[in-house]
C-alpha cells in the first residue's frame, strides 16, 4: 500500500525499503520476521514558552552571582560543615534563549573518606527534608543528586565524594534568570546616548 498524499507516514513497500536500509531496524526485522515494525517520526522537543522566559526575573549579574554563591556556601555549611578548600562560581547558558544560570562549585581536598560518605548520607536526608527531590544511587561514587522547582525555576545540586582523589564536591546550579543590561551598555538609555 503506497503512502497517500495526505498521510505523514511512510507505509507499504517504501516503509519496507527504509527499514531494510536502517542498520538497527533491519537487524530487528531479520531476527524477528514474525513481528510488525512500526517506526514513528520523532517529536520535536518543546522548549519553554516565551511567557515562561519573560516571567523569569531580570537580575544584576554580580548580585545574582553573590546570592547564589552565598546560598551554596550555606548549603555546604549545613550539609558538610567546615570550610571548603575552594569556592568557584561561573555563568552558564540557561535552558532557554536569553536566560543564564550561575553554577557554584565548592571543593574540599584531602576529605576523610568515612566522613565524606557520612556527609553524603546526611546531605541526602537533609535535602529531602528541605523539599528537594533527591536521588542517592546505592552503587558507584557516594553521591546525592537533587533538584527542586519546575521548568526554568528548577535548581540542581550535586554532592559527590571522589574517594580516590579524597575530594568532596558540592555543585549548585541556579534557576534560569534574565540578565539586566549593564549600566551604560547597549540597550540602556545611557548607552544609546554615548
Amino acid at each position: 500500500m503506497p503512502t497517500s498524499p495526505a498521510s505523514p507516514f511512510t507505509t507499504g513497500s517504501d516503509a519496507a525499503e527504509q527499514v531494510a536500509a536502517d542498520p538497527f531496524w533491519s537487524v530487528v526485522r531479520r531476527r524477528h520476521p514474525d513481528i510488525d515494525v512500526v517506526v514513528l517520526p520523532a517529536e520535536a522537543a518543546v522548549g519553554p514558552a516565551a511567557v515562561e522566559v519573560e516571567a523569569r526575573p531580570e537580575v544584576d549579574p554580580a548580585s545574582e552571582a553573590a546570592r547564589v554563591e552565598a546560598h551554596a556556601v550555606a548549603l555546604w555549611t549545613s550539609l558538610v560543615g567546615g570550610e571548603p578548600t575552594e569556592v568557584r562560581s561561573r555563568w552558564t547558558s540557561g535552558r532557554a534563549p536569553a536566560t543564564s544560570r550561575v553554577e557554584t562549585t565548592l571543593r574540599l581536598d584531602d576529605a576523610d573518606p568515612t566522613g565524606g560518605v557520612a556527609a553524603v548520607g546526611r546531605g541526602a536526608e537533609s535535602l529531602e527534608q528541605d523539599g528537594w527531590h533527591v536521588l542517592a544511587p546505592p552503587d558507584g561514587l557516594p553521591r546525592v543528586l537533587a533538584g527542586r522547582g519546575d521548568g526554568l525555576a528548577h535548581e540542581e545540586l550535586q554532592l559527590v565524594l571522589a574517594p580516590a582523589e579524597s575530594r568532596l564536591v558540592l555543585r549548585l546550579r541556579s534557576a534560569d534568570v534574565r540578565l539586566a543590561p549593564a549600566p551604560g551598555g547597549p540597550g540602556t538609555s545611557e548607552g544609546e546616548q554615548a
Side-chain angles (χ1 to χ4, degrees):
M1 172 189 332
T3 304
S4 72
S7 174
F9 303 109
T10 303
T11 59
S13 61
D14 292 341
E17 288 174 21
Q18 287 183 5
V19 169
D22 186 277
F24 176 78
W25 291 112
S26 63
V27 173
V28 171
R29 183 72 179 135
R30 187 177 70 245
R31 290 184 181 172
H32 304 283
D34 55 323
I35 63 168
D36 292 327
V37 175
V38 178
V39 181
L40 299 175
E43 291 184 26
V46 177
V51 172
E52 186 179 5
V53 173
E54 288 299 316
R56 299 305 307 145
E58 190 172 88
V59 298
D60 172 64
S63 298
E64 180 67 3
R67 184 194 69 77
V68 172
E69 189 170 299
H71 181 51
V73 169
L75 283 166
W76 176 275
T77 302
S78 73
L79 300 176
V80 177
E83 292 291 318
T85 307
E86 180 183 32
V87 178
R88 195 170 18 166
S89 293
R90 68 185 184 116
W91 282 98
T92 64
S93 59
R95 292 164 285 198
T99 66
S100 300
R101 300 172 82 187
V102 178
E103 179 181 275
T104 299
T105 304
L106 295 91
R107 188 184 82 231
L108 176 64
D109 294 330
D110 301 322
D112 170 49
T114 304
V117 168
V120 169
R122 283 190 318 268
E125 291 173 13
S126 179
L127 289 167
E128 197 162 30
Q129 289 172 358
D130 288 344
W132 292 76
H133 299 282
V134 175
L135 171 66
D139 54 356
L141 293 175
R143 66 200 180 279
V144 172
L145 310 172
R148 69 177 172 186
D150 293 320
L152 296 179
H154 184 73
E155 294 179 281
E156 299 164 352
L157 181 138
Q158 301 171 6
L159 180 60
V160 181
L161 173 67
E165 293 84 12
S166 299
R167 185 172 291 151
L168 185 62
V169 176
L170 182 144
R171 177 166 291 149
L172 176 67
R173 288 190 190 101
S174 72
D176 288 50
V177 294
R178 294 180 303 123
L179 300 180
T188 64
S189 57
E190 293 174 23
E192 291 169 0
Q193 294 172 356

